[in-house]
Amino acid sequence: EQKQSIISKFNGSSPLPPCPPTPPGLEGPLRIEFEWSRSMSDVRNSSRENLQEGGRYKPLDCIAQHKVAVIIPYRNRKDHLKHWLYYLHPILKRQQVDYGVYVINQHGEGTFNRAKLLNVGYVESLKEYAYDCFVFSDVDLVPMDDRNLYRCHGEPRHMAVAMDKFGFQMPYKNYFGGVVALSRVQYMRINGFPNNYWGWGAEDDDMHKRITLKGMAVSRPDSRLGMYKMVRHLRDTHNEVNPQNPGQLHNTAKTMNSDGINSLIYSLIKIEKDELYTMIDVDIHAPN
Ligand code: UDH
């Protein structure tokens, strides 16, 4: 801030004020259509304004109060990423966040591991910038209301509370899937996410258990603000339901202090700076 005011004095302009708690330019309910004819160049044209390389943005007329890394677990979902970028960049700009978009690509054909990719995103985004908040979002989920703010709260936040595919309701009471936001402090308190949930299922329930085991509660928007539209798709290959996963939930209390961000091992393959996102290609040492 001091630096900012020195720069401003130098320029002869007044320093930027902090952004207001409620962003002034929000639209409320949004019309979301996953047009099949939308091309990546349409998306670039409509989204690149004021972005810095790697999908980074800062509000132009105020100092953002939230430094947010948006982290997306990813493999082979180009079409979904296109729709996500098309809708989310304008929304995040309206929400006046200082943000970066990190797409964490699981290298190779091994069994998918969503939670481990999210841990990689946490570590790699922090190497670039002092983010204080992390929004972990599936690539196929777009919010239907921009008042659902992509920022952190006093408690870990579950954001995707009303998805179209679940009839705009929570599928079960303690659901913590789809899109969640944790501050750096909240994330470190739970030792990040588990690394040992390979294939589909239960890693989100493990995250929820970690939070409650550490005495935190989950905060949520109401079901109108928390509406999400999912891009319809078939089940992916190499991410089959893993019947072993739910059983691991009995051990979360015992394993969470030794399995998480403090035990994360991976090999970085490549970092690609697109104008709309930073793609982190990573080998997470999948079992097959
Ligand atoms: N993901 C990928 N690639 C994959 C698998 C998963 O990018 O091959 C990412 C992606 O961000 C996805 C998230 O991980 O949104 C979660 O994947 P998921 O398969 O657990 O969840 P999703 O909601 O699908 O995408 C649920 C199964 C859909 C079956 C539909 C049958 N009608």
Side-chain angles (χ1 to χ4, degrees):
E1 248 166 337
Q2 205 179 6
K3 201 168 157 197
Q4 184 64 48
S5 71
I6 292 167
I7 294 168
S8 304
K9 263 183 206 143
F10 186 73
N11 292 339
S13 60
S14 55
L16 292 179
C19 298
T22 304
L26 299 180
E27 294 176 5
L30 307 170
R31 211 177 69 102
I32 308 294
E33 301 290 347
F34 300 123
E35 305 282 356
W36 63 270
S37 58
R38 182 173 294 141
S39 71
M40 194 59 191
S41 66
D42 296 340
V43 178
R44 290 186 188 289
N45 289 335
S46 69
S47 303
R48 65 159 66 92
E49 196 182 7
N50 298 321
L51 285 186
Q52 294 154 26
E53 191 187 57
R56 296 281 302 273
Y57 176 82
K58 273 181 213 277
L60 306 177
D61 52 0
C62 58
I63 305 286
Q65 301 303 294
H66 307 269
K67 294 182 187 155
V68 180
V70 184
I71 294 170
I72 300 174
Y74 184 83
R75 185 168 63 191
N76 194 24
R77 296 272 195 107
K78 247 199 152 101
D79 214 45
H80 295 189
L81 183 59
K82 180 181 76 181
H83 294 301
W84 191 94
L85 294 164
Y86 178 81
Y87 284 111
L88 265 295
H89 274 302
I91 291 173
L92 293 166
K93 289 175 194 173
R94 290 201 293 277
Q95 294 189 353
Q96 297 187 313
V97 228
D98 175 355
Y99 72 89
V101 173
Y102 295 86
V103 179
I104 317 302
N105 182 61
Q106 180 169 337
H107 190 81
E109 295 297 312
T111 304
F112 199 71
N113 186 329
R114 175 174 176 269
K116 187 168 182 181
L117 291 169
L118 298 179
N119 281 337
V120 172
Y122 174 88
V123 172
E124 291 297 323
S125 63
L126 276 177
K127 287 181 185 169
E128 288 198 342
Y129 192 52
Y131 293 107
D132 51 30
C133 174
F134 302 82
V135 173
F136 301 96
S137 173
D138 284 357
V139 71
D140 50 10
L141 287 173
V142 172
M144 297 172 72
D145 194 309
D146 61 6
R147 292 170 295 177
N148 192 2
L149 299 174
Y150 279 58
R151 61 173 66 163
C152 289
H153 295 73
E155 304 279 2
R157 183 99 165 159
H158 179 224
M159 301 179 63
V161 298
M163 296 182 198
D164 59 347
K165 78 160 170 175
F166 298 132
F168 298 108
Q169 287 173 7
M170 292 272 283
Y172 51 92
K173 184 167 175 279
N174 290 331
Y175 181 58
F176 196 65
V179 186
V180 302
L182 284 87
S183 71
R184 191 173 175 173
V185 173
Q186 291 160 357
Y187 178 92
M188 286 312 293
R189 260 182 92 179
I190 62 171
N191 191 24
F193 300 141
N195 297 304
N196 296 325
Y197 285 78
W198 298 95
W200 191 92
E203 85 294 341
D204 47 359
D205 298 327
D206 189 288
M207 296 172 188
H208 186 272
K209 276 198 96 168
R210 286 172 181 241
I211 290 165
T212 52
L213 283 164
K214 291 289 172 184
M216 293 185 282
V218 169
S219 86
R220 294 190 167 88
D222 72 42
S223 60
R224 205 165 45 93
L225 258 66
M227 285 168 69
Y228 274 80
K229 196 156 173 175
M230 193 187 86
V231 191
R232 292 275 150 184
H233 62 94
L234 301 173
R235 183 165 287 288
D236 307 278
T237 49
H238 310 296
N239 192 26
E240 280 74 31
V241 174
N242 184 343
Q244 313 282 342
N245 283 354
Q248 294 200 62
L249 291 169
H250 299 296
N251 300 321
T252 306
K254 272 185 271 167
T255 57
M256 68 176 288
N257 294 322
S258 54
D259 171 28
I261 197 68
N262 66 359
S263 65
L264 177 65
I265 297 174
Y266 61 92
S267 308
L268 189 62
I269 306 277
K270 194 173 76 187
I271 300 181
E272 180 206 335
K273 291 281 176 187
D274 186 277
E275 59 182 334
L276 303 187
Y277 55 84
T278 298
M279 176 81 78
I280 313 252
D281 190 24
V282 63
D283 179 352
I284 56 170
H285 309 156
N288 52 56

